[in-house]
Amino acid sequence: MYNPISTYRIQFNEDFPLKRLREHIDYLSLLGVNTIYASPLFSATPGSGHGYDVINPLQLNPEITNIDEFKSFAALLRKKNIGWLQDTVPNHMAYHPLNKWIMDVLEKGTNSQYLNFFDLNAAVCSGEEKIMVPFLGVSLEEALLSDEISLGIKDGNFTINYYDNSFPVNFETFHSLLVDEIVYAPAYLINRWMHYKMELCIPDESFLNNLWEEFKAEMRNMYEKDKFTAQFIDNLLKKTSHNKERLHEIIRHQHYELCHWQESEHRINFRRFFTVNSLICLKMEDEAVFDTYHKFIAQLVAGGQLQGVRVDHIDGLNTPNEYLLRLRNLVGENTYIVVEKILEPGEDLPEFWPVQGTTGYDFLAIVNNLLTSTKNYHKLRNLYKDITQQTVDPEELIYQNKKMILTTRMHGEWDNIFSFFNQLEFIDYTQEQISKEEMKEALGEFMLACPVYRLYPRQFPLANQNREIVEEIIAKAQRRNPALKPALELLATILLSIDIEGENHSTKLAAFFPRMMQYTGPLMAKGVEDTSMYQYNCFVTHNEVGDAINAAGISIDEFHQQMKERQQKWPLTINTTSTHDTKRGEDVRARLNIISEMTEEWEEMVHQWMQMNQKYKKRLESGLLEPSLSVEYFIYQTLLGTFPSDGTIDENYMTRIDEYLVKALRESKRKVSWRNPDETYENTVCQFVRKLLDPTHDFLDAFVPFQQKVAWLGIINSLTQLTLKGTCPGVPDIYQGTEFWDLTLVDPDNRQPVDYEARAETLQNLIQKHQENPVNTMQELFNNHRTGHIKLWLTYTLLNLRKNHPDLFLSGQYIPLRVTGTAENHLLAFARNHKDKWLIVAVPFFMTSLLEDINQESLTGFDWTGTHVILDDKYPRKWRNVLTGASLNSKEEISVQDLFKDAIPALLIADKA
């Protein structure tokens, strides 16, 4: 099995193609990176900033690289002992004119060879219903009246054009447009028309997928190279486009239905990614679809260009278990596989999956909770209630938001799953005292009550834990909706029964249950990540992918237990703290966690700020003062976490905050949303913040001293967080650019260009200085911590430590170490041991209460007198500090004062000398 050792995430796009990475690979190699973790590289929509909108999985994105360049670069990486972990997107593709597979379906309908590639409703697959094309900004009639729709030509066929979108017409339309005009066409076009006997062609499957394709290729060549053919075609299309009645008739006779984009909120006949119309889902459970989609990936693995595969949105697939087995068989036992999977608190990754783990959101949440003071969280909860007067329980808020998503944005999906339920004839409504509407509501409530993104049963009837969770879901839904109890009891009988109609019932359940699970995930994602996490602003550090809005922290013992289980079950899972999807950079969260340590001072400061900033609020036509108290409280946390380390407030920072606030307000879906923006309201909130940060006003005088203290203490959290990521069980992932302080916010803010030159130059200088005088270098780094160079150096140290001792971190035991003394609750310590190799790790946290006078120029001036790490007889007695090079002798205990004498954290490697 390939061991990544460490990964470095690269977000490729047209502004950062592969050749740009090649320019910086020496720096990444020097940093200690062992595996490049690449965003999707396959052909995507033009200008894609992320690559998850794939249009062709069988070729590389020409904006990023080509196959020859990629193979050449892979050979260079092999020489440097660097591997490649490739992000793949099996759940969906872009619903885009350049996606030839879906365009083929639009053109040929049920005769398309790609019809079964996409997750379409049965009525579409049978031809009884037209596939929706929900991209109009107005109704079809309005678009026609305003001349927004016209005819065009592309790839040898006529198209229906709507702004930049173009959709192919069917053969019948192509034929009808030319048949009466062909006598006026240029001679060569007439010749080809006669050659293919177009007037006599029957548009069946054989013709459309063979001769029709040949004719289109010739038609394209004629149009591009013969000006007379081009002029003839252009005139024909222009004339027809001006005939509104004829154009409308043409549109009505296609295999698809052009409609307003909002129509998909009420009805939809294809599965989409969450609520994104422009991402259409694949039928990956079909083995032929799997084989075709993964053909190029398999070639790259076989060619040695890929050592690992990252599976995006595993929960979207109908049968994740079966998919992963197929993937493992395809890429072999030695290929590293991780899945993008969000685990809810207490949820475990299925141990029967043939993967190495997840992409690391679970680790992010664990560390985030470790750095949250459990004893103070209730104070923050009470403060939030007092300030905002919002008393809604977080669990109830999540339920209401999921229900809003289900009944508005995903009502069409709800109808589809209920229609499928009825097609399977689980219920004879004539024999039950339950109406169809009641059963639909019960099904909806079941999905809303699901406590995790989805379940993964391997057998039906449901058994063991899956059965228990379904019983809990039913019970919760009944408590919320007593009137639906009869319908829910009937649903429970259907989902849990062992005997109904024997094997036939289990077969039907095996078809229905995974389908239903494909919708519980989007409900959770849209209701929690994309709504509740922007509404509930109690302690926003936990409003993060993988974490929970009401997370209250964990104890040191709980952390140790989770790490021991991680080593036992998933030693190669990824440890991440920042990704392209996180809502706040890792160092923003590290700062904000300090609030939980100093709740009284935070409360005092917030009240002071709110009082002084009341004058900057504005009363809108609604009669309300804006921003609201909850939004204002959110703003203070945002500024506290992102305020520039050097204190410089420039227009770039202000613009970033403006853009973030608009996104946050729209995602919250309270007063505005993406479909219903309100520039007046949004500008009012943004202007409020700009007034706060105006140096002529008094807010900054009150804010900056407190912010600087939080930022300083946050640096300790950042170093602790990074150290845990690099030494705990799992594979540490560095998100691009986060070697310096990461004070970014949600995308696109966290996808800013990275100044690799500055990082490379800094690292080279630090290596030279450290070789000359390690202790002085460390002291200098700590004294100039605002630059972020201390984080770069710690990253370098950790990654190279792992590179030099891969077995220690892959197979080494995780051993919690006991800490005693006055500051025992402010230190976490553990050992990693494999054979004769030993490493001791000690990290500080919750430092606020240890200090009276904070010296913000030093990170090592804490008083650890009387606090010790306890070692028994099995531990070595001679150690070397990895950061400073200093030797340390131990007996049955190590003084923390000695551990942190010249540097934090402490990394002690057993010294064999």
Side-chain angles (χ1 to χ4, degrees):
M1 172 59 61
Y2 174 74
N3 178 4
I5 301 179
S6 65
T7 64
Y8 190 97
R9 172 72 178 198
I10 298 289
Q11 290 295 117
F12 287 107
N13 53 54
E14 62 181 345
D15 295 323
F16 194 87
L18 189 68
K19 65 180 180 182
R20 290 288 307 281
L21 175 62
R22 190 172 192 132
E23 296 170 2
H24 307 300
I25 200 63
D26 287 340
Y27 157 69
L28 294 179
S29 178
L30 180 64
L31 184 64
V33 173
N34 282 91
T35 302
I36 299 297
Y37 174 9
S39 64
L41 276 189
F42 308 103
S43 188
T45 59
S48 175
H50 48 77
Y52 291 97
D53 44 358
V54 175
I55 59 174
N56 186 353
L58 305 183
Q59 70 177 33
L60 296 172
N61 188 339
E63 294 180 351
I64 296 173
T65 189
N66 57 59
I67 188 62
D68 291 335
E69 181 185 50
F70 184 68
K71 287 182 177 179
S72 172
F73 187 63
L76 172 64
L77 292 182
R78 281 195 294 272
K79 292 179 181 179
K80 294 181 175 293
N81 293 316
I82 296 177
W84 191 278
L85 171 60
Q86 183 57 58
D87 201 343
T88 62
V89 195
N91 177 67
H92 54 267
M93 294 179 71
Y95 198 158
H96 189 275
L98 292 179
N99 181 343
K100 293 184 178 180
W101 294 358
I102 190 61
M103 291 302 111
D104 196 79
V105 173
L106 297 188
E107 179 185 304
K108 300 171 184 173
T110 56
N111 288 314
S112 171
Q113 60 184 321
Y114 298 106
L115 180 69
N116 292 324
F117 275 51
F118 297 97
D119 203 340
L120 312 174
N121 283 13
V124 175
C125 293
S126 66
E128 300 172 27
E129 191 176 300
K130 298 180 178 184
I131 183 174
M132 294 169 64
V133 180
F135 299 115
L136 302 183
V138 293
S139 68
L140 175 60
E141 291 71 22
E142 289 175 303
L144 285 167
L145 286 173
S146 58
D147 295 321
E148 295 175 0
I149 298 179
S150 61
L151 293 180
I153 184 170
K154 179 182 178 183
D155 295 332
N157 189 16
F158 300 144
T159 58
I160 297 171
N161 296 346
Y162 176 74
Y163 291 103
D164 293 334
N165 290 311
S166 60
F167 307 103
V169 302
N170 55 32
F171 172 78
E172 293 87 343
T173 297
F174 178 91
H175 186 277
S176 69
L177 284 169
L178 273 180
V179 66
D180 294 332
E181 302 287 336
I182 195 67
V183 294
Y184 307 112
Y188 188 71
L189 176 54
I190 295 175
N191 175 272
R192 305 321 294 160
W193 181 274
M194 300 299 293
H195 173 80
Y196 283 94
K197 300 179 182 180
M198 295 295 281
E199 290 194 36
L200 303 176
C201 288
I202 299 174
D204 57 14
E205 183 177 1
S206 176
F207 168 77
L208 291 176
N209 291 301
N210 293 285
L211 288 180
W212 171 229
E213 291 297 326
E214 290 181 20
F215 183 84
K216 284 194 299 179
E218 291 203 31
M219 184 73 172
R220 175 179 180 174
N221 186 60
M222 283 187 285
Y223 183 79
E224 292 177 350
K225 296 183 177 181
D226 180 36
K227 66 178 182 179
F228 298 108
T229 298
Q231 186 177 30
F232 168 75
I233 295 296
D234 289 344
N235 288 337
L236 172 62
L237 296 179
K238 185 176 181 180
K239 180 179 70 174
T240 308
S241 295
H242 287 160
N243 185 337
K244 296 290 192 296
E245 185 175 339
R246 174 69 171 134
L247 187 56
H248 199 179
E249 179 186 4
I250 288 172
I251 294 171
R252 287 201 307 269
H253 283 85
Q254 300 312 307
H255 297 302
Y256 53 88
E257 173 195 356
L258 286 175
C259 56
H260 193 289
W261 68 267
Q262 289 182 342
E263 185 68 22
S264 61
E265 296 184 351
H266 311 292
R267 64 180 182 91
I268 190 165
N269 55 21
F270 63 89
R271 188 168 63 88
R272 53 187 173 161
F273 174 69
F274 294 170
T275 58
V276 183
N277 290 345
S278 58
L279 294 175
I280 186 168
C281 292
L282 293 158
K283 207 170 184 178
M284 196 54 68
E285 62 270 26
D286 187 311
E287 191 168 358
V289 178
F290 176 94
D291 291 343
T292 302
Y293 191 91
H294 291 82
K295 183 178 180 181
F296 186 40
I297 295 170
Q299 291 173 357
L300 294 176
V301 170
Q305 287 85 39
L306 306 185
Q307 286 69 50
V309 175
R310 183 244 201 209
V311 180
D312 180 65
H313 192 45
I314 188 69
D315 285 345
L317 305 181
N318 185 272
T319 52
N321 309 336
E322 183 179 288
Y323 170 83
L324 290 171
L325 286 171
R326 283 180 178 163
L327 182 63
R328 174 55 72 195
N329 289 334
L330 181 74
V331 301
E333 290 300 319
N334 293 326
T335 301
Y336 178 78
I337 301 176
V338 286
V339 294
E340 186 208 24
K341 169 61 191 167
I342 296 172
L343 297 168
E344 291 299 297
E347 181 185 9
D348 295 322
L349 190 69
E351 292 186 48
F352 52 82
W353 280 2
V355 302
Q356 277 56 67
T358 74
T359 54
Y361 295 123
D362 44 323
F363 183 82
L364 181 156
I366 293 169
V367 175
N368 208 26
N369 277 272
L370 175 70
L371 298 179
T372 295
S373 172
T374 56
K375 70 177 183 179
N376 285 335
Y377 177 77
H378 70 283
K379 297 178 182 177
L380 291 173
R381 183 92 178 264
N382 292 336
L383 174 62
Y384 181 63
K385 289 180 180 178
D386 292 342
I387 286 178
T388 65
Q389 300 301 304
Q390 294 189 13
T391 58
V392 63
D393 180 76
E395 184 176 347
E396 176 64 19
L397 178 70
I398 288 172
Y399 167 70
Q400 292 296 339
N401 282 325
K402 288 172 68 175
K403 190 167 188 176
M404 179 272 293
I405 295 294
L406 179 66
T407 57
T408 58
R409 309 298 166 82
M410 291 180 61
H411 196 280
E413 282 86 354
W414 187 14
D415 282 343
N416 288 344
I417 192 63
F418 184 58
S419 176
F420 185 46
F421 177 85
N422 288 327
Q423 289 171 23
L424 293 170
E425 298 182 338
F426 285 113
I427 299 173
D428 181 354
Y429 289 97
T430 63
Q431 301 298 314
E432 300 288 347
Q433 300 299 311
I434 304 295
S435 68
K436 285 189 175 181
E437 187 59 33
E438 288 174 316
M439 185 51 63
K440 179 184 174 183
E441 290 289 333
L443 191 61
E445 290 296 335
F446 180 90
M447 292 191 292
L448 293 173
C450 190
V452 292
Y453 277 68
R454 66 173 293 168
L455 304 178
Y456 309 95
R458 289 187 287 177
Q459 62 183 28
F460 295 92
L462 294 172
N464 303 325
Q465 187 179 21
N466 287 316
R467 189 176 188 86
E468 294 173 5
I469 294 175
V470 168
E471 290 172 344
E472 292 170 3
I473 292 172
I474 292 291
K476 181 186 290 185
Q478 288 177 337
R479 290 194 298 271
R480 284 175 173 161
N481 299 273
L484 287 176
K485 186 175 181 180
L488 286 164
E489 287 178 342
L490 181 56
L491 179 61
T493 300
I494 293 168
L495 297 180
L496 299 173
S497 179
I498 297 175
D499 301 317
I500 294 180
E501 299 182 23
E503 292 184 0
N504 184 48
H505 178 77
S506 294
T507 300
K508 292 194 296 184
L509 195 58
F512 172 74
F513 196 84
R515 187 60 165 178
M516 178 172 61
M517 291 292 99
Q518 286 180 286
Y519 293 115
T520 56
L523 276 178
M524 182 75 83
K526 297 303 295 182
V528 181
E529 293 175 45
D530 294 344
T531 306
S532 298
M533 285 188 176
Y534 288 96
Q535 289 183 0
Y536 189 74
N537 301 322
C538 173
F539 190 32
V540 298
T541 190
H542 290 291
N543 294 11
E544 189 57 84
V545 182
D547 209 334
I549 61 174
N550 58 343
I554 60 174
S555 68
I556 292 176
D557 288 342
E558 288 173 312
F559 179 85
H560 283 318
Q561 182 60 37
Q562 292 189 56
M563 289 304 105
K564 287 196 291 185
E565 292 176 1
R566 198 174 184 84
Q567 178 60 34
Q568 180 184 4
K569 297 178 181 179
W570 307 105
L572 283 176
T573 191
I574 286 181
N575 297 344
T576 197
T577 46
S578 283
T579 78
H580 60 287
D581 278 333
T582 41
K583 299 186 182 300
R584 289 166 187 83
E586 58 192 40
D587 300 313
V588 175
R589 294 194 307 275
R591 282 183 179 181
L592 291 176
N593 277 313
I594 299 298
I595 295 175
S596 69
E597 301 178 40
M598 46 199 313
T599 51
E600 287 80 7
E601 188 173 357
W602 166 248
E603 179 176 2
E604 179 183 341
M605 297 308 302
V606 168
H607 283 301
Q608 179 184 343
W609 299 337
M610 296 184 84
Q611 185 176 5
M612 69 169 54
N613 295 330
Q614 180 75 10
K615 59 188 175 186
Y616 300 139
K617 293 194 173 190
K618 184 177 180 181
R619 194 173 300 278
L620 300 183
E621 290 183 4
S622 63
L624 299 175
L625 277 176
E626 299 295 353
S628 67
L629 294 171
S630 181
V631 171
E632 184 180 2
Y633 192 62
F634 168 79
I635 287 170
Y636 296 139
Q637 292 180 75
T638 300
L639 294 179
L640 195 69
T642 64
F643 202 76
S645 296
D646 61 4
T648 302
I649 305 172
D650 56 18
E651 185 55 32
N652 175 62
Y653 177 70
M654 292 306 311
T655 300
R656 288 175 51 222
I657 296 298
D658 284 346
E659 292 172 350
Y660 172 67
L661 288 173
V662 170
K663 179 167 185 173
L665 293 171
R666 292 181 182 180
E667 292 285 9
S668 73
K669 304 173 188 65
R670 278 186 163 155
K671 297 176 181 177
V672 292
S673 65
W674 290 108
R675 59 174 295 184
N676 292 307
D678 182 344
E679 290 188 7
T680 299
Y681 168 69
E682 293 162 1
N683 287 338
T684 296
V685 176
C686 292
Q687 285 303 312
F688 174 78
V689 177
R690 284 181 172 264
K691 288 175 181 177
L692 300 190
L693 299 181
D694 187 326
T696 64
H697 293 155
D698 52 1
F699 170 70
L700 286 176
D701 291 337
F703 173 76
V704 170
F706 180 77
Q707 190 280 330
Q708 288 181 341
K709 180 164 59 176
V710 168
W712 179 76
L713 290 164
I715 288 173
I716 299 171
N717 275 356
S718 291
L719 299 179
T720 289
Q721 178 176 247
L722 176 58
T723 303
L724 294 175
K725 178 168 69 173
T727 57
C728 284
V731 176
D733 171 49
I734 309 299
Y735 181 69
Q736 59 176 34
T738 59
E739 306 94 290
F740 285 173
W741 300 130
D742 176 21
L743 301 180
T744 60
L745 292 161
V746 73
D747 68 279
D749 192 51
N750 61 14
R751 298 177 187 178
Q752 297 178 37
V754 178
D755 187 348
Y756 286 107
E757 289 83 0
R759 286 161 174 77
E761 182 180 356
T762 300
L763 182 57
Q764 289 166 353
N765 291 336
L766 289 175
I767 290 173
Q768 182 177 348
K769 287 184 177 180
H770 194 267
Q771 289 173 344
E772 295 170 357
N773 193 322
V775 174
N776 285 355
T777 301
M778 294 308 302
Q779 193 60 51
E780 181 181 336
L781 286 169
F782 286 124
N783 290 341
N784 296 283
H785 49 75
R786 290 183 180 88
T787 63
H789 296 174
I790 179 60
K791 189 182 180 189
L792 172 65
W793 184 254
L794 181 57
T795 302
Y796 163 82
T797 301
L798 290 167
L799 296 191
N800 281 279
L801 180 66
R802 293 185 67 93
K803 178 185 287 189
N804 295 330
H805 305 281
D807 293 340
L808 175 63
F809 293 98
L810 172 63
S811 305
Q813 289 179 279
Y814 178 94
I815 308 171
L817 295 177
R818 189 162 62 93
V819 180
T820 63
T822 55
E824 63 184 40
N825 294 324
H826 301 269
L827 189 78
L828 181 143
F830 59 89
R832 302 299 305 271
N833 168 238
H834 179 64
K835 297 181 179 178
D836 63 340
K837 294 180 180 179
W838 287 86
L839 175 74
I840 288 178
V841 179
V843 291
F845 61 118
F846 298 161
M847 303 303 292
T848 308
S849 59
L850 291 184
L851 304 172
E852 293 183 1
D853 298 317
I854 295 182
N855 175 11
Q856 296 182 18
E857 298 305 317
S858 174
L859 288 171
T860 56
F862 300 99
D863 183 5
W864 292 96
T865 304
T867 304
H868 297 84
V869 176
I870 307 301
L871 304 179
D872 59 31
D873 293 339
K874 69 182 178 184
Y875 290 90
R877 294 311 183 200
K878 292 185 177 182
W879 305 89
R880 177 176 56 84
N881 190 311
V882 178
L883 284 170
T884 66
S887 297
L888 187 149
N889 295 326
S890 68
K891 295 182 180 180
E892 66 277 0
E893 62 184 25
I894 301 178
S895 165
V896 178
Q897 193 72 20
D898 292 338
L899 275 179
F900 293 155
K901 179 182 177 183
D902 296 308
I904 57 170
L907 299 168
L908 302 183
I909 195 83
D911 195 340
K912 297 179 182 179

